[in-house]
Amino acid sequence: MADNKICDFLSVRDLEVEYSSGGEVIHAVNGVSFDVESGKTLGLVGETGAGKTTIAKSILRILPDHATKAVRGQIFYKGQDLLAMPLDEMRPFRGSQISMIFQDPMTALNPTKVVADQISEGLVLHQGLDKAAARVEANKMLEMVGISSDRADEYPHQFSGGMKQRVVIAIALACNPLLLIADEPTTALDVTIQAQVLDLIADLKAKLNTAMILITHDLGVVADQCDSVAIVYAGQIVESGSKEQIFDHPTHPYTIGLFGSLPDISKDVDRLSPVEGLPPDPTNLPAGCKFHPRCPKATEACAQGEIPNKELAPGHFCRCINI
Amino acid sequence: MATLIEAKNLKKYFPSPRGTVHAVDDVSFTIDEGTTMGLVGESGCGKSTLGRCLVHLHESTDGQMFFDGKDATHLEKEALKEFRANNQFIFQDPYSSLNPRRTVKDTVMEPLQLSGKYNRRQLEIECIRLMDLVGIEKRLRLSYPHELDGGRRQRVGIARALALNPRFIVCDEPVSALDVSIQAQVLNLLMDLQDEYGLTYMFVTHDLSVVRHISDTICVMYLGQMVEKTTSKELFANQLHPYTKALLSAILSTDIHHPTKRILLKGEITSPINPPPGCRFAARCNYATEQCKQPLTLEEVKPGHFVSCCRVREINNL
């Protein structure tokens, strides 16, 4: 995954993102590399503040200007480096080829515009449709996500949370993107609605052959949706591989800790075995392995130098020296 | 085991411009001392309202409540104060439930000060003891909530709830705002405290895997009513109500080799404003018939297993 050969579809190489805040430098992403193949789904898993959303926003280049101090590395989309492009050339990719489903449907929609207009916006901009044609398409998209087009002229506040998320999905898929970045698409929803939305995304993805980067902290969602998985901790990918490799043979102590933290519905466990402690402060990351202060297996060597990304089996990588 | 909490036909209605919201509608249950009752349901089903009624954060519209055998439906002044010392609440969102202008020490000490049982020196000692009990470092006693992470904030909420040695605590989604690794730490803490002090919990949550982990008995709520009520073990082995079945099937297991078959429900939760008689779940139920429009009650289908569904025997071949 982290080799030099780039993938035909999407390859992220050595991505680093720094924010500045109150004179301090926040190391949000620290050398992340991964590939996504056409039509496949990669799960980016990690806890709050691990840098998952920053990685996603880097791909679309929608990081907040005022706070972003530096973005380094390459993001190859069909062989072209998105980060090296002038912004004018980059812009046409957004929304048309690469689009994003935002985490919180309550805030992702414009409260002052009816939903049909919000869906047509991208169609007018990217596909050159006139307003009437875009409106017809917008109605079709609404029907596709299971909302009657009778409600196209309603405002976001007139919809429930699950329906708002469907509208957000309709906007993201309106231009048939090749890559969909879904940032915690179901976190704000109830389980029965989550089931509906996940089924919808999976259906549409199969229909349109869209690749997806699914950002989540929920390993159940990953098990349900993804082909491959990357576990993110403190801005680094600590373990990556196929879904089977990660779920059947979790190897990095952090990955094992994540699985231990989950009360599993199919098992009776008396006591959870969570990861002790807290994620590190991104303004002051520990030297060596970023996880070593919380790691039950840490040795002195863990606090020194760069930790190499070892290949355990073809495609299964783990950033740990004690395995 | 003795019954500590009992609710009989409890109702809580809210007036609204469009009609009466039946947030909690005729709910009865008991909780034994030292056990945990899980209360499960989706947003808007009335589970938080029920929890709030039980500790008098809301006054119930109708029905009765008993605490330790004594009627606690209508309480005032001293009786309410005494009741509150025994019945506490842990809030869902540790980001908004703490006063941002008060330090950890101020927040934890407040109930102790109000009780009037401690002098200044004892207050300090008791505060440090409580912080230690829930695993907040002593050095943080002068910190403000914004300086703490979510897990520690929730621990502050727990310390405050424990301050007056309550016997019953309503935990309203206490871990849903926390990351998984922190969530597990807080769940372990709550279970340890229960073992040590014999606490009784009502654990309100929408997360069924958490509820299985922590509860002895489980009540499933839908639109203000109980649809199924039994022990945790029985519920996960033999759920009988169609809503419970759908809810359980929607949990995503991390077992990638045995994916669960999802039962997809039609549409979304219907309005709790002036609901029609009959089964409230019928609008989304895959088994609904004309018969479901008749009023129905919770009935004991198997020993200790209560279900409110007129077709329950038919659906489950009982």
Side-chain angles (χ1 to χ4, degrees):
Chain A
M1 198 177 235
D3 52 9
N4 290 324
K5 216 174 111 254
I6 64 163
C7 161
D8 293 340
F9 189 65
L10 182 84
S11 288
V12 173
R13 288 291 173 269
D14 308 313
L15 181 68
E16 289 179 32
V17 181
E18 290 169 1
Y19 293 120
S20 57
S21 160
E24 284 182 300
V25 180
I26 298 170
H27 302 274
V29 180
N30 306 297
V32 160
S33 302
F34 61 85
D35 295 329
V36 181
E37 283 171 48
S38 176
K40 297 285 186 204
T41 299
L42 166 73
L44 280 184
V45 185
E47 295 180 80
T48 317
K52 312 179 297 279
T53 302
T54 302
I55 295 171
K57 289 187 170 172
S58 310
I59 299 173
L60 279 167
R61 289 176 67 181
I62 51 172
L63 293 166
D65 279 337
H66 59 279
T68 311
K69 195 167 161 277
V71 182
R72 289 184 286 270
Q74 289 106 33
I75 297 176
F76 296 102
Y77 172 71
K78 294 190 180 169
Q80 287 176 284
D81 185 356
L82 296 175
L83 290 182
M85 268 179 213
L87 203 54
D88 286 354
E89 285 176 37
M90 159 70 204
R91 197 166 285 136
F93 287 96
R94 289 181 186 158
S96 66
Q97 302 213 19
I98 308 175
S99 67
M100 185 151 172
I101 299 174
F102 292 90
Q103 173 166 8
D104 184 357
M106 321 296 160
T107 56
L109 295 170
N110 184 340
T112 66
K113 283 173 92 177
V114 300
V115 296
D117 287 349
Q118 301 192 48
I119 302 171
S120 344
E121 194 179 346
L123 293 162
V124 173
L125 264 173
H126 296 296
Q127 303 202 328
L129 299 185
D130 61 40
K131 265 196 152 168
R135 177 60 198 254
V136 174
E137 272 304 304
N139 284 352
K140 263 193 223 159
M141 287 308 299
L142 274 179
E143 296 277 352
M144 192 163 87
V145 297
I147 298 177
S148 156
S149 54
D150 297 345
R151 303 193 61 182
D153 284 315
E154 290 185 15
Y155 290 90
H157 75 267
Q158 292 169 288
F159 293 90
S160 67
M163 289 177 106
K164 274 187 231 174
Q165 193 59 294
R166 287 162 190 266
V167 173
V168 173
I169 292 170
I171 295 173
L173 291 175
C175 298
N176 296 342
L178 296 170
L179 174 63
L180 181 65
I181 303 171
D183 188 0
E184 309 254 9
T186 57
T187 306
L189 308 175
D190 272 319
V191 278
T192 61
I193 309 298
Q194 163 171 290
Q196 291 173 358
V197 169
L198 288 178
D199 271 27
L200 173 72
I201 295 178
D203 266 8
L204 298 178
K205 234 177 62 67
K207 217 181 272 171
L208 310 170
N209 195 33
T210 308
M212 179 157 81
I213 298 176
L214 179 68
I215 297 174
T216 180
H217 63 268
D218 186 335
L219 287 163
V221 173
V222 174
D224 193 65
Q225 296 275 321
C226 297
D227 301 299
S228 55
V229 186
I231 310 282
V232 187
Y233 185 78
Q236 285 189 328
I237 293 180
V238 293
E239 186 166 1
S240 60
S242 70
K243 176 168 76 182
E244 289 73 21
Q245 284 167 337
I246 303 290
F247 279 73
D248 291 343
H249 310 287
T251 308
H252 196 282
Y254 178 63
T255 315
I256 295 170
L258 273 187
F259 279 102
S261 302
L262 288 178
D264 193 327
I265 203 75
S266 49
K267 285 183 216 117
D268 270 318
V269 191
D270 274 346
R271 202 180 159 77
L272 300 169
S273 35
V275 190
E276 292 302 331
L278 297 168
D281 174 2
T283 61
N284 183 20
L285 290 173
C289 171
K290 311 277 178 271
F291 185 62
H292 85 263
R294 297 174 78 185
C295 182
K297 290 186 184 163
T299 57
E300 258 174 51
C302 296
Q304 280 145 27
E306 270 300 295
I307 308 296
N309 206 11
K310 275 193 239 170
E311 185 160 17
L312 307 171
H316 188 180
F317 291 88
C318 180
R319 204 180 280 275
C320 179
I321 53 173
N322 291 331
I323 45 172
Chain B
M1 240 177 296
T3 299
L4 186 69
I5 300 291
E6 183 172 6
K8 264 190 192 161
N9 307 99
L10 207 63
K11 291 182 188 167
K12 177 66 190 173
Y13 295 168
F14 294 102
S16 93
R18 283 181 292 160
T20 306
V21 178
H22 294 229
V24 175
D25 210 354
D26 203 352
V27 165
S28 306
F29 59 88
T30 59
I31 311 177
D32 287 342
E33 179 140 32
T35 66
T36 301
M37 181 182 97
L39 184 62
V40 200
E42 294 177 89
S43 3
C45 74
K47 55 191 191 305
S48 290
T49 306
L50 176 57
R52 283 166 180 257
C53 286
L54 286 185
V55 297
H56 279 285
L57 283 174
H58 285 319
E59 290 306 316
S60 48
T61 311
D62 195 16
Q64 282 179 297
M65 283 163 27
F66 298 90
F67 174 73
D68 204 9
K70 289 193 280 285
D71 192 332
T73 320
H74 303 288
L75 295 174
E76 273 177 354
K77 296 189 181 136
E78 280 309 305
L80 182 60
K81 201 170 164 187
E82 196 195 319
F83 175 84
R84 285 212 162 123
N86 274 318
N87 293 268
Q88 285 287 323
F89 200 89
I90 297 171
F91 293 89
Q92 173 167 13
D93 183 358
Y95 296 87
S96 60
S97 59
L98 298 178
N99 186 334
R101 297 172 58 166
R102 310 194 77 174
T103 61
V104 170
K105 191 178 96 176
D106 293 341
T107 299
V108 174
M109 252 169 31
E110 192 180 14
L112 300 169
Q113 284 167 327
L114 289 174
S115 78
K117 289 179 189 155
Y118 300 86
N119 67 29
R120 190 171 293 179
R121 221 183 87 76
Q122 288 167 325
L123 279 176
E124 292 280 342
I125 295 169
E126 189 60 13
C127 173
I128 299 297
R129 184 188 73 85
L130 285 164
M131 286 177 63
D132 192 48
L133 189 66
V134 298
I136 312 172
E137 299 86 335
K138 205 170 138 188
R139 65 182 166 83
L140 293 173
R141 67 188 184 284
L142 296 178
S143 304
Y144 287 91
H146 75 269
E147 297 171 288
L148 307 178
D149 59 272
R152 283 217 183 79
R153 278 186 233 196
Q154 197 54 293
R155 287 170 195 265
V156 174
I158 295 172
R160 185 183 159 98
L162 288 173
L164 297 175
N165 297 320
R167 293 169 68 187
F168 176 58
I169 303 181
V170 175
C171 311
D172 187 5
E173 306 251 17
V175 297
S176 67
L178 307 176
D179 268 319
V180 276
S181 74
I182 311 300
Q183 182 175 335
Q185 293 173 7
V186 173
L187 286 177
N188 280 345
L189 169 68
L190 287 170
M191 292 173 80
D192 291 345
L193 291 169
Q194 179 167 47
D195 286 346
E196 200 167 328
Y197 297 100
L199 293 169
T200 308
Y201 291 141
M202 179 161 104
F203 202 93
V204 178
T205 181
H206 66 276
D207 187 334
L208 286 144
S209 38
V210 168
V211 102
R212 170 179 185 157
H213 183 69
I214 201 161
S215 309
D216 301 293
T217 56
I218 297 182
C219 292
V220 182
M221 255 182 114
Y222 191 81
L223 270 184
Q225 296 183 325
M226 295 278 175
V227 295
E228 189 159 0
K229 182 167 88 174
T230 182
T231 62
S232 176
K233 237 189 194 126
E234 168 72 7
L235 188 87
F236 281 90
N238 304 306
Q239 57 279 15
L240 300 176
H241 196 283
Y243 177 62
T244 315
K245 287 177 199 261
L247 205 58
L248 287 181
S249 82
I251 308 170
L252 300 167
S253 166
T254 49
D255 182 352
I256 56 172
H257 301 291
H258 304 94
T260 41
K261 202 174 158 356
R262 277 204 283 264
I263 304 167
L264 279 191
L265 294 178
K266 295 176 271 189
E268 307 198 4
I269 200 160
T270 46
S271 166
I273 296 174
N274 301 332
C279 176
R280 295 189 181 171
F281 180 62
R284 298 175 76 191
C285 182
N286 298 324
Y287 300 98
T289 60
E290 274 301 304
Q291 200 188 339
C292 300
K293 289 181 183 159
Q294 301 302 317
L296 80 175
T297 49
L298 215 51
E299 110 180 77
E300 190 162 8
V301 178
K302 285 160 73 178
H305 195 152
F306 297 83
V307 184
S308 151
C309 172
C310 59
R311 298 189 63 198
V312 61
R313 293 200 165 75
E314 210 180 319
I315 294 167
N316 296 291
N317 303 318
L318 292 177

